[in-house]
């Protein structure tokens, strides 16, 4: 920050004279520069211990707080506790004489020459601070009388609790679902803002979790954008070959520096507009600085209380709580001001634990649905990560199973790379928790594989290698026959009209109101109705005096 003389130059001459009066110094001249030199010399020579004794307790406490912060604090942060200094021009200063009746401890210190205001560059950008010039700060260190002030309440601490009755163990399915997303990306490409229907394909379909995984995959260069779609890269193949623990570690490392913004995904909050920005790394850092590196259980609410007591401005270093456009999702009320801390920061911090840290397998959570009782403990892999211990590189992997009907069963503990490659030649079927992944070999999947220069011999070689046994003869014959002859049959879901008299069918085929609804004949008594038009067809037939029953069967 600036020197004492530079700080004094920012004051109007009338303020300089007020400060001088406290020191029994007469500044009667009109030369501001000379007045600044005289006042600076007087302030650096004065007995500060004696001056501090003349302060009110609240004023001495405010000065002590500033000294403890290294001599400066953001204006909004300091003002929240110690009040503001009113901005006044020379005319108003002469009329109101605020030094005689200051509205706050901060304003009292301002007119005593202990407190100044200015901008300084920080890692978060240019911020405005209240500060004590270095010449005074050096004489106001903790050993001086400034520390003899009113005691403040003890800061909250984080204490372990007894294990909860029920718990949700750490998960590792982020690896499995990212493998699924990579497999889908190789077939059709993914649009992060418009994904296909993934119901039944992901172990956890949560949209925010899916957004996090795609962001991390892109930042890790596992996916790259090609013609507005995300496609897997060579780096994805490398990641898929690692052990499950190594894959999770890579995801956690990426999350710790990711641009994925938890504040814009926090339940209960709606972030509006793009004209403001927050740094998600600040919230993660504040949280990880507080979480004890042990395997005890802790209440989530206690974590929030500790951070509020120790570093409430963790994501707003300037202490300004009025510049972000956040709404309460339920009430639609704008949340601004420090009084909204519990509804913003108080929601964000639990989400960091119960969202990303849980999704990435770093914590175990209590099973309660009561937010006041919610608890967590760090998983062994989290303790290893915090201790910079390498993840296990080896794991037991089981082969996939090739069934005679062309279904590939890929167990949860099979190679993720094998599942990724299976998706190149077979279509995924809905995922059933606790059961292996299922992929079915069909002509369209084989055709796509051929477009990627994967021939029948490569397909069969992969199936034999990944399965660890000979490919069933029916599957080998089906792939070979398809390669030679193409599609030889197709299953379709259609609406069929059946009649009891061939004459009825002939009438419907020749009548201009009904003939365009009918397509392929299935014999003298049945015909296929054009897709999507059976209801209009039934109405047209009714207009001719023929009523039709509808039989609904299973698809």
């Amino acid at each position: 920050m600036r020197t004492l003389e530079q700080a004094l130059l920012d004051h109007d001459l009338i303020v300089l004279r007020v400060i001088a009066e406290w020191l029994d110094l007469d500044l009667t001249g009109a030369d501001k520069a000379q007045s600044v030199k005289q006042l600076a010399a007087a302030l650096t020579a004065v007995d500060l211990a004696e001056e501090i004794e003349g302060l009110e307790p609240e004023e001495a406490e405010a000065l002590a707080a500033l000294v403890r912060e290294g001599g400066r604090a953001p204006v909004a942060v300091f003002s929240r506790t110690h009040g503001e200094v009113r901005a006044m021009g020379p005319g108003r200063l002469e009329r109101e004489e605020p030094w005689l009746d200051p509205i706050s401890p901060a304003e009292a210190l301002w007119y005593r020459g202990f407190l100044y205001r200015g901008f300084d560059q920080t890692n978060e950008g240019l911020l405005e601070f209240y500060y004590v010039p270095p010449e005074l700060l050096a004489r106001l260190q903790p050993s001086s009388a400034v520390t003899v002030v009113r005691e403040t309440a003890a800061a909250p601490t984080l204490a372990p609790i007894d294990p909860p009755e029920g718990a949700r163990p750490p998960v590792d399915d982020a690896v499995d679902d990212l493998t699924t997303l990579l497999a889908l990306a190789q077939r059709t490409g993914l649009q992060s803002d418009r994904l296909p229907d993934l119901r039944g394909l992901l172990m956890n379909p949560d949209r925010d979790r899916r957004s996090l995984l795609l962001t991390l995959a892109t930042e890790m260069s596992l996916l790259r954008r090609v013609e507005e779609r995300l496609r897997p890269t060579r780096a994805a193949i490398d990641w898929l070959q690692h052990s499950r623990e190594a894959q999770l570690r890579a995801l956690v490392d990426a999350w710790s520096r990711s641009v994925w913004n938890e504040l814009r995904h926090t339940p209960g909050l709606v972030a509006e507009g793009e004209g403001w920005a927050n740094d998600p790394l600040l919230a993660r850092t504040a949280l990880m600085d507080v979480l004890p590196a042990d395997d005890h259980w802790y209440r989530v609410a206690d974590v929030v209380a500790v951070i509020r007591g120790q570093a409430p401005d963790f994501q707003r270093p300037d202490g300004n709580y009025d510049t972000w456009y956040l709404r309460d999702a339920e009430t639609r009320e704008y949340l601004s001001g420090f009084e909204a801390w519990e509804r913003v920061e108080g929601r964000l911090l639990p989400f960091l634990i119960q969202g990303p840290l849980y999704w990435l397998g770093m914590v175990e959570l209590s099973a309660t649905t009561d937010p006041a009782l919610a608890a967590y403990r760090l998983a062994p892999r989290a303790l290893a990560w915090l201790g910079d211990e390498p993840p296990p590189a080896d794991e037991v992997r089981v082969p996939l199973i090739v069934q005679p009907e062309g279904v590939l069963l890929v167990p949860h503990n099979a190679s993720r790379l094998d599942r990724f490659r299976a998706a190149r030649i077979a279509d995924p079927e809905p995922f059933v928790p606790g059961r292996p992944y299922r992929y079915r070999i069909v002509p369209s999947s084989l055709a796509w594989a051929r477009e990627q220069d994967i021939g029948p011999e490569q397909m069969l070689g992969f199936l034999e290698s990944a399965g660890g046994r000979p490919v069933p003869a029916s599957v080998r014959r089906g792939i070979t026959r398809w390669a030679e002859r193409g599609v030889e049959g197709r299953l379709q879901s259609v609406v069929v009209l059946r009649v009891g008299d061939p004459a009825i069918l002939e009438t419907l085929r020749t009548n201009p109101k009904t003939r365009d609804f009918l397509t392929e004949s299935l014999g003298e008594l049945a015909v296929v109705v054009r897709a999507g038009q059976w209801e209009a067809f039934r109405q047209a037939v009714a207009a001719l005096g023929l009523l039709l029953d509808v039989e609904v069967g299973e698809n």
Side-chain angles (χ1 to χ4, degrees), residues 175-176 179 239-245 247 395 397 412-421:
V175 164
D176 302 291
T179 300
W239 180 82
L240 287 164
Q241 295 182 73
H242 292 159
S243 70
R244 180 176 293 271
E245 290 300 322
Q247 290 171 329
E395 65 179 358
R397 294 176 178 173
H412 175 262
N413 54 345
S415 162
R416 268 74 62 195
L417 180 59
D418 283 350
R419 184 156 72 86
F420 177 82
R421 287 174 170 165

Side-chain angles (χ1 to χ4, degrees), residues 108-137:
L109 293 175
W110 181 268
Y111 291 111
R112 291 294 296 266
F114 290 124
L115 187 66
Y116 299 85
R117 186 168 177 162
F119 288 90
D120 201 6
Q121 189 66 42
T122 70
N123 293 334
E124 289 77 35
L126 195 64
L127 296 183
E128 189 175 19
F129 292 90
Y130 280 128
Y131 68 97
V132 177
E135 295 91 335
L136 300 182
L137 181 63

Side-chain angles (χ1 to χ4, degrees), residues 380-554:
R381 67 172 61 94
L383 297 175
W385 179 60
L386 292 172
D388 205 23
E389 299 174 13
D394 300 322
E395 65 179 358
V396 176
R397 294 176 178 173
V398 300
L400 60 80
I401 300 171
V402 184
Q403 296 188 315
E405 63 271 26
V407 172
L408 312 181
L409 300 180
V410 187
H412 175 262
N413 54 345
S415 162
R416 268 74 62 195
L417 180 59
D418 283 350
R419 184 156 72 86
F420 177 82
R421 287 174 170 165
R424 303 180 71 182
I425 64 173
D427 285 350
E429 295 192 344
F431 171 76
V432 179
R435 305 290 296 275
Y437 289 93
R438 291 173 58 93
Y439 292 82
R440 185 178 296 274
I441 298 173
V442 294
S444 59
S445 65
L446 298 177
W448 183 88
R450 183 165 59 186
E451 291 175 3
Q452 311 307 310
D453 296 324
I454 304 173
E457 293 303 322
Q458 291 172 282
M459 299 179 198
L460 294 170
F462 160 70
L463 293 176
E464 187 165 331
S465 172
R469 63 186 65 184
V471 178
S474 58
V475 175
R476 180 178 294 276
R477 185 166 55 252
I479 292 176
T480 303
R481 184 170 180 139
W482 170 85
E484 295 173 350
R485 306 183 185 184
V487 180
E488 296 184 280
R490 178 177 289 107
L491 289 174
Q492 287 182 284
S493 177
V494 297
V495 175
V496 175
L497 169 68
R498 297 186 182 277
V499 296
D501 186 343
I504 295 176
L505 198 56
E506 180 62 25
T507 298
L508 295 176
R509 280 197 174 280
T510 56
N511 191 294
K513 293 183 179 180
T514 56
R515 63 190 180 194
D516 292 336
F517 289 101
L518 305 180
T519 59
E520 183 179 354
S521 176
L522 301 178
E524 291 185 347
L525 301 177
V527 65
V528 175
V529 178
R530 195 172 301 280
Q533 298 185 14
W534 69 270
E535 181 59 38
F537 172 69
R538 183 167 67 164
Q539 294 178 14
V541 170
L544 299 179
L546 178 62
L547 301 180
L548 301 178
D549 275 332
V550 177
E551 295 180 3
V552 180
E554 294 183 359

Side-chain angles (χ1 to χ4, degrees), residues 81-236:
T81 304
H82 306 292
E84 62 176 339
V85 178
R86 292 170 291 179
M88 296 186 185
R92 186 180 174 190
L93 286 168
E94 290 184 6
R95 290 192 308 272
E96 299 189 17
E97 298 182 329
W99 50 88
L100 298 179
D101 188 20
I103 64 169
S104 68
E107 193 166 83
L109 293 175
W110 181 268
Y111 291 111
R112 291 294 296 266
F114 290 124
L115 187 66
Y116 299 85
R117 186 168 177 162
F119 288 90
D120 201 6
Q121 189 66 42
T122 70
N123 293 334
E124 289 77 35
L126 195 64
L127 296 183
E128 189 175 19
F129 292 90
Y130 280 128
Y131 68 97
V132 177
E135 295 91 335
L136 300 182
L137 181 63
R139 301 167 61 204
L140 291 173
Q141 294 306 316
S143 60
S144 71
V146 74
T147 59
V148 184
V149 295
R150 186 173 58 197
E151 292 186 2
T152 57
T157 58
L158 199 56
I161 62 171
D162 293 333
E165 292 184 2
R168 296 156 57 193
V171 296
D172 58 14
D173 54 13
V175 164
D176 302 291
D177 281 352
L178 183 52
T179 300
T180 297
L181 291 169
L182 291 172
L184 290 171
Q186 72 177 327
R187 290 286 293 269
T188 61
L190 294 176
Q191 291 178 285
S192 55
D193 57 340
R194 236 180 5 201
L195 288 178
D197 186 358
L198 300 179
R199 285 175 296 180
L201 296 181
L202 298 181
M203 298 179 75
N204 183 343
D206 185 277
R207 291 177 59 87
D208 294 314
R209 174 180 175 275
R210 185 179 67 192
S211 169
L212 173 62
L213 291 179
L214 287 176
T215 299
L216 296 182
T218 303
E219 293 174 342
M220 295 164 65
S221 298
L222 308 185
L223 291 170
R224 63 187 177 93
R225 194 168 295 279
V226 179
E227 296 179 352
E228 301 304 317
R229 290 182 177 270
L230 296 173
R231 302 278 185 179
T233 66
R234 177 64 207 179

Side-chain angles (χ1 to χ4, degrees), residues 227-493:
E227 296 179 352
E228 301 304 317
R229 290 182 177 270
L230 296 173
R231 302 278 185 179
T233 66
R234 177 64 207 179
I237 303 300
D238 295 337
W239 180 82
L240 287 164
Q241 295 182 73
H242 292 159
S243 70
R244 180 176 293 271
E245 290 300 322
Q247 290 171 329
L248 279 170
R249 174 68 63 85
L251 290 175
V252 173
D253 285 341
W255 170 77
S256 68
R257 56 180 179 271
S258 174
V259 301
W260 196 76
N261 195 340
E262 284 88 354
L263 185 64
R264 291 183 177 266
H265 295 269
T266 298
L269 294 180
V270 177
E272 295 182 345
E274 304 296 332
W276 60 275
N278 65 295
D279 184 353
L281 269 63
L282 296 179
R284 294 177 203 144
T285 300
L287 178 67
M288 300 311 297
D289 284 347
V290 166
L291 299 187
D294 58 44
D295 61 356
H296 296 304
W297 283 93
Y298 295 92
R299 232 184 305 272
V300 174
D302 292 344
V303 174
V304 176
V306 167
I307 293 178
R308 175 162 186 166
Q310 296 180 1
D313 307 300
F314 64 88
Q315 67 171 346
R316 314 198 207 205
D318 62 355
N320 192 335
Y321 285 74
D322 297 317
T323 58
W324 295 358
Y325 293 98
L326 297 169
R327 285 184 186 268
D328 185 289
E330 182 176 351
T331 67
R332 308 304 296 174
E333 172 189 359
Y334 276 111
L335 304 176
S336 62
F338 188 74
E339 57 272 18
W341 195 96
E342 290 291 348
R343 299 168 71 185
V344 178
E345 282 78 1
R347 286 169 169 166
L348 169 63
L349 292 169
F351 175 61
L352 283 166
I353 297 173
Q354 298 163 336
L357 282 178
Y358 178 68
W359 295 336
L360 298 176
M362 301 296 279
V363 296
E364 182 175 2
L365 299 177
S366 60
T368 180
T369 57
D370 185 348
L373 300 178
Y376 83 95
R377 72 170 171 179
L378 294 180
R381 67 172 61 94
L383 297 175
W385 179 60
L386 292 172
D388 205 23
E389 299 174 13
D394 300 322
E395 65 179 358
V396 176
R397 294 176 178 173
V398 300
L400 60 80
I401 300 171
V402 184
Q403 296 188 315
E405 63 271 26
V407 172
L408 312 181
L409 300 180
V410 187
H412 175 262
N413 54 345
S415 162
R416 268 74 62 195
L417 180 59
D418 283 350
R419 184 156 72 86
F420 177 82
R421 287 174 170 165
R424 303 180 71 182
I425 64 173
D427 285 350
E429 295 192 344
F431 171 76
V432 179
R435 305 290 296 275
Y437 289 93
R438 291 173 58 93
Y439 292 82
R440 185 178 296 274
I441 298 173
V442 294
S444 59
S445 65
L446 298 177
W448 183 88
R450 183 165 59 186
E451 291 175 3
Q452 311 307 310
D453 296 324
I454 304 173
E457 293 303 322
Q458 291 172 282
M459 299 179 198
L460 294 170
F462 160 70
L463 293 176
E464 187 165 331
S465 172
R469 63 186 65 184
V471 178
S474 58
V475 175
R476 180 178 294 276
R477 185 166 55 252
I479 292 176
T480 303
R481 184 170 180 139
W482 170 85
E484 295 173 350
R485 306 183 185 184
V487 180
E488 296 184 280
R490 178 177 289 107
L491 289 174
Q492 287 182 284
S493 177

